[in-house]
Structure formats: structure tokens, C-alpha cells
Amino acid sequence: MLILKLGGSVVTYKDKPFTPHIDNIARLAAEIAEADAQPLVVVHGGGSYGHPIATEYGIAEGYREPRQIIGFSKTHQAMIELNDIIVRELLDAGVPAFAVSPSSFIVTESRRITDIDLQVVERLIESGLIPVLYGDAVMDTRQGFTIISGDQLAVKLAKGLEAERVVLGSDVDGVFTDDPKLVEDARLIEELSLSNHGDEAKIGDALDTDVTGGMLGKVVEATEAVEAGIEVVLVNATVGGRVRAALRGEKVIGTRLKR
Amino acid sequence: MLILKLGGSVVTYKDKPFTPHIDNIARLAAEIAEADAQPLVVVHGGGSYGHPIATEYGIAEGYREPRQIIGFSKTHQAMIELNDIIVRELLDAGVPAFAVSPSSFIVTESRRITDIDLQVVERLIESGLIPVLYGDAVMDTRQGFTIISGDQLAVKLAKGLEAERVVLGSDVDGVFTDDPKLVEDARLIEELSLSNHGDEAKIGDALDTDVTGGMLGKVVEATEAVEAGIEVVLVNATVGGRVRAALRGEKVIGTRLKR
């Protein structure tokens, strides 16, 4: 059982509202078809679809005023449209993808998925399908509604489905010793041990900075999977072949998280 | 609590593949806004979106061969796209609609919804939202997958949510004594008693024919709601004002089903 997360910066042009990165999506659909690694669940982020609306209406922070209600729904519709594009590219590549809407079966508690009913996802997998989910606007028991990230969802699915490996694809190669955009001799960490780094502050120290392409949040989120004995690999999904190699379990440029 | 079902012949041009009936959808969005009847759940059919693909791949009859897998997913994608159009028209009319994907939380048993987890739908309603669901391609415990009709879903939601009234909107005025297209003096039945008509054959006898615009199936499906004490009204949703009146509980041209 494999979980593949494709970041919003991979499947969309992050700076152009509502613009899918069709080249990346089509190439990744082909890589997924070639990897032929099943069972597999795909999760993708929102990028320039979900984020602009969610931010405009303050959806992640929960309900404060009536006008947010429309924004909550519009955030979900934006994600549905991006998901539709991705599922159709996968189907065109011969991948038996099936769209699953997180907000239709997940309710969070203070922004966190506390339990998740995997009945539908499991049946789809048993039938040879590849469920495709996404970061979404969902109902929350404490704050009315919120946004769940694709990273959180990928990790929860990995735990619930007892996955062997989670591949987190973003637009950077992995975790660096320093921000590679700022520090010239920043070095890619091929293997990052999370032992003794149980909380955000400690991991932040270990990474020396929290501005390395949003990697800190990813690593914190992934800790839960790593502690459950699941292999987590961070790869650059904008570079051809890396996702295919990571799905196949081949050696690949990236960061492997271990306990 | 009200449930409104809009038939595929209302929200699409049934004879033109993938063609939404935008005029009807926009008018009905306005009628729903004007009726101001909450809590409300909307369910719509597939029309020229879901049906052509579902039929091409034999989805309703369940799994027989691998090529159907892609058809199963494509049927769902077609419904997602129609739903997206309807939800956006509702939002534009000021109706706080929220898309809920049936296949993401419903698994049928031999084509029937046996139990349904209404956690998400109930929370959406409590938050002032109007869930919008649809007939969909879903997983089935016996035959792999199937199609659930919007009618079946509307009735199950009505029972589960203890609705007061179900409004079934189609492109005919209601149940007639004969097929109005064939028999000149066919008369609209304003009130149809289902007592002593517990099965399909008996209702068929009562209606004298089963070709009255697919009304027999609707009446059979609705029997479960009527027996639970829920009012069911069949109206012509292609005629302006009728859905609004039915939602408000006003006198309207149509057929009311009673025990």
C-alpha cells in the first residue's frame, strides 16, 4: 500500500489563480501508470485553486461571520474542479482513478482528523481503483469548518490503511541543511532521523530554519506516520522520473524520514 | 426539514449529451432562494450527464469486466461536473449550497442504500448550509458497483433526516390516470393513496400503466417515505413557480402521495 501526495505547487501554477499545471499533471499521470504500483492512493493539494478563496474568506480559522459560508462552499468547489482535471488526466493515462471528496465523509476536531471511516476508500482499492483525494474545506466540530491539508490527509490515510510508504511530492528536492535559495552551500539531507525530534520546535532546530520551502510543516505532519513505522520520502515531483522511482522503491534524490 | 429532488430531465437536456439546462437550473435556484425554506437538502438526477456513460459501460448492473472500471469513474466525474454547475448557480442566487458526493460515503447492498451515515449532511444543515447531492456511481457490497438514483437517495435522506416533506420535481405534472401523451382525456391524480398498494404490481394496476413518464418507479420509491409519514409531492419542475410553491407548502398543481 502506497500513498502519493502531490503538492499544490506541483499540480498548479501557484502564482496564477485557477491555473492547473497540465504538463506536470500529465507527466505524473504517465509516471504513475508506468510505476504500476498498486494498491495506491493519491492525494493532492490546492495550490492556486483552493488557497486564494480559503484565504479570502478565512476558512481555516473557522466560522466567524455569515459571509464565510459561501466562501466555504466555493473553496470546496475550486478543489472539486482541480480534482476533476487530475482524475481525467489519470484516466486518460490508463490509471483507474476515482475521485473521493474528503468533506463528504471527514469531520475534523479543532482542525485535526481524529477518526476517519475508510470503508469507501478500502472498497475502491479492493476493486482495483486508485482513490484520488485532496486537501479540502471540511466541517469541524469545534470551529464550524476548517481546511485540511493534503499532507495531513495523506498521513492519516497512510496510518489507517497501514501503508508501507508515503511519497510526498513537492517542488523542492527535500529537506536541506539551510534554505537553498539563501545559502549557497545548503546540502540536501538524504536521511533525516526524527528520533529525539518529537515536537515542532526541536525539528525546527534540527532543520536550523523553518523557511526551507515549507518543509518544516511537512516533516512535523509526517512524524506521525514515521512513528507508526511507515517510510516517508520527500521528493521533487516537478523533476521527471522521481515520483516513478519513489513509487517503485528505487533509489531517488530526496529526503527519507526515519525514526 | 424538506428534501427537493430535481430530475435529470429538468436540469439537463436529456437528448443532448452533457448539456445542462441552464435556464431551468437558474430559475430553480431563484425559486429555492425565494422559498426561503430551510433546512433543505437538494438532490438531482443525472440526465444527459450520468446516463449515457453509465449505460455504455453497464454500471448499474455491476462488475463483469475490467473495462467497466474506467466507465464507473467516468460516470462519477460526469455527475461531479453537472453538480458543480448546479451548486454554482445556487451560490450565485444566494443559496448556501454545498456539494456532497454520495459515492464518498455511501456503499449499497444489491443496489439499495441499507444504511447511511448522515453525520456530514447533518452538520452542514446545522451550519445553515444546503447540502446538494446527486444520483451517483457507488460501490456495492454484492455486485462491486452500481448506480443509485436521485429518487432512492432523496427518499433515504428524507427518512434519515425525518423530513416533513419531499418534493419530487420532474418534467411532468404528476401521476395521470393514463399516459397523457397517448390518451387524450388522461386526468392528473391530485391525491394518490398508496394504502393497499404495497408492491410494484399493485401500484402499476392502480396507475393502469407504467409508461406515464417513468412515474411508476418514482411512486414505488416514494412508498417508503410515505409509509414513514412523510408527505411526498410530485410536481412539474419545468413550470415556473411550482417548486417554490411546493417548498412553501402552498397548494400547487401536482400529485400528493398519501398512505
Side-chain angles (χ1 to χ4, degrees):
Chain A
M1 175 72 65
L2 302 173
I3 312 290
L4 170 63
K5 157 77 199 301
L6 298 173
S9 56
V10 176
V11 294
T12 73
Y13 288 94
K14 262 204 148 172
D15 301 329
K16 297 182 194 167
F18 307 107
T19 311
H21 198 310
I22 297 291
D23 287 352
N24 276 349
I25 296 170
R27 176 183 49 76
L28 287 161
E31 288 191 32
I32 291 166
E34 288 157 18
D36 196 21
Q38 269 189 272
L40 170 67
V41 177
V42 176
V43 178
H44 63 81
S48 65
Y49 275 80
H51 287 289
I53 307 174
T55 304
E56 180 188 344
Y57 289 91
I59 302 306
E61 294 72 33
Y63 181 80
R64 286 183 321 276
E65 47 173 353
R67 68 179 277 279
Q68 288 178 290
I69 290 282
I70 295 285
F72 173 63
S73 181
K74 283 186 174 172
T75 302
H76 178 50
Q77 289 311 119
M79 289 309 303
I80 284 173
E81 291 188 1
L82 176 57
N83 182 254
D84 185 36
I85 292 165
I86 294 170
V87 168
R88 287 182 182 277
E89 286 289 341
L90 286 164
L91 290 173
D92 284 350
V95 176
F98 191 86
V100 177
S101 176
S103 57
S104 293
F105 73 106
I106 293 172
V107 174
T108 55
E109 193 178 320
S110 300
R111 308 186 186 192
R112 302 297 300 172
I113 299 168
T114 51
D115 68 325
I116 180 168
D117 179 355
L118 293 173
Q119 187 196 180
V120 167
V121 169
E122 283 172 340
R123 280 198 184 274
L124 289 167
I125 290 168
E126 280 165 23
S127 300
L129 287 146
I130 294 181
V132 182
L133 298 87
Y134 44 91
D136 199 5
V138 302
M139 297 305 290
D140 185 280
T141 57
R142 298 292 174 88
Q143 59 177 56
F145 46 66
T146 193
I147 300 291
I148 50 166
S149 70
D151 289 331
Q152 182 187 165
L153 184 55
V155 167
K156 296 291 180 183
L157 288 167
K159 281 188 71 179
L161 298 168
E162 298 179 9
E164 179 193 337
R165 185 162 59 254
V166 179
V167 177
L168 298 179
S170 69
D171 62 349
V172 292
D173 287 353
V175 180
F176 285 82
T177 50
D178 286 289
D179 187 338
K181 285 176 200 143
L182 301 175
V183 180
E184 208 179 319
D185 62 351
R187 198 171 45 76
L188 180 69
I189 301 169
E190 291 186 10
E191 222 174 61
L192 180 67
S193 172
L194 299 182
S195 57
N196 305 319
H197 300 300
D199 60 62
E200 192 161 330
K202 284 178 189 161
I203 295 171
D205 284 352
L207 299 184
D208 202 31
T209 167
D210 68 351
V211 291
T212 53
M215 275 293 130
L216 175 60
K218 251 178 229 306
V219 172
V220 170
E221 201 66 76
T223 301
E224 193 179 329
V226 173
E227 282 175 353
I230 299 163
E231 188 183 352
V232 178
V233 189
L234 309 176
V235 297
N236 192 334
T238 67
V239 178
R242 295 208 185 152
V243 162
R244 183 181 49 217
L247 288 176
R248 284 178 175 165
E250 296 167 359
K251 192 162 164 52
V252 61
I253 294 171
T255 298
R256 198 163 70 83
L257 305 184
K258 59 172 196 176
R259 275 192 269 201
Chain B
M1 175 71 65
L2 302 173
I3 312 289
L4 170 63
K5 157 75 198 304
L6 297 173
S9 56
V10 176
V11 293
T12 73
Y13 288 95
K14 263 204 147 169
D15 301 329
K16 297 182 197 169
F18 307 106
T19 311
H21 198 310
I22 297 290
D23 287 353
N24 276 349
I25 296 169
R27 176 183 49 75
L28 286 161
E31 287 191 32
I32 291 166
E34 289 157 18
D36 196 22
Q38 268 189 273
L40 170 67
V41 177
V42 176
V43 177
H44 63 81
S48 64
Y49 275 79
H51 287 290
I53 307 175
T55 304
E56 180 189 343
Y57 289 91
I59 303 305
E61 293 73 33
Y63 181 81
R64 286 183 320 275
E65 47 172 356
R67 68 178 279 278
Q68 287 178 291
I69 291 282
I70 296 284
F72 173 62
S73 181
K74 284 187 173 173
T75 302
H76 178 51
Q77 289 310 119
M79 289 310 301
I80 283 174
E81 291 189 359
L82 176 58
N83 182 254
D84 186 36
I85 293 165
I86 293 170
V87 167
R88 287 183 181 278
E89 287 289 342
L90 285 164
L91 290 172
D92 285 349
V95 176
F98 191 86
V100 177
S101 175
S103 56
S104 293
F105 74 106
I106 293 172
V107 174
T108 55
E109 193 179 319
S110 301
R111 307 185 187 195
R112 303 299 298 173
I113 300 168
T114 51
D115 67 325
I116 181 168
D117 179 355
L118 293 172
Q119 188 196 181
V120 166
V121 169
E122 283 172 340
R123 281 198 183 273
L124 289 168
I125 291 167
E126 280 166 22
S127 300
L129 286 147
I130 295 180
V132 183
L133 298 87
Y134 43 90
D136 198 5
V138 302
M139 298 303 292
D140 185 280
T141 58
R142 300 291 174 88
Q143 60 177 57
F145 47 64
T146 193
I147 300 292
I148 50 166
S149 71
D151 288 331
Q152 182 188 164
L153 184 56
V155 167
K156 296 290 180 184
L157 288 168
K159 280 188 73 180
L161 298 168
E162 298 179 10
E164 180 193 337
R165 184 162 60 253
V166 179
V167 177
L168 297 179
S170 69
D171 63 349
V172 292
D173 287 352
V175 180
F176 285 81
T177 51
D178 285 289
D179 186 338
K181 286 175 200 143
L182 301 175
V183 180
E184 208 180 320
D185 62 351
R187 199 171 43 79
L188 180 69
I189 302 170
E190 292 186 10
E191 222 174 59
L192 180 66
S193 172
L194 299 182
S195 57
N196 305 320
H197 300 300
D199 61 63
E200 192 161 331
K202 284 177 188 164
I203 295 172
D205 284 352
L207 300 183
D208 202 31
T209 169
D210 68 351
V211 291
T212 54
M215 276 294 130
L216 174 60
K218 250 178 231 307
V219 172
V220 169
E221 201 66 76
T223 301
E224 194 179 327
V226 173
E227 281 174 354
I230 299 163
E231 188 183 349
V232 177
V233 189
L234 309 176
V235 296
N236 191 333
T238 67
V239 178
R242 294 205 186 155
V243 162
R244 182 180 50 217
L247 288 176
R248 284 178 173 163
E250 296 168 0
K251 192 162 165 52
V252 60
I253 293 170
T255 298
R256 198 162 70 82
L257 305 184
K258 60 173 196 176
R259 273 191 271 201

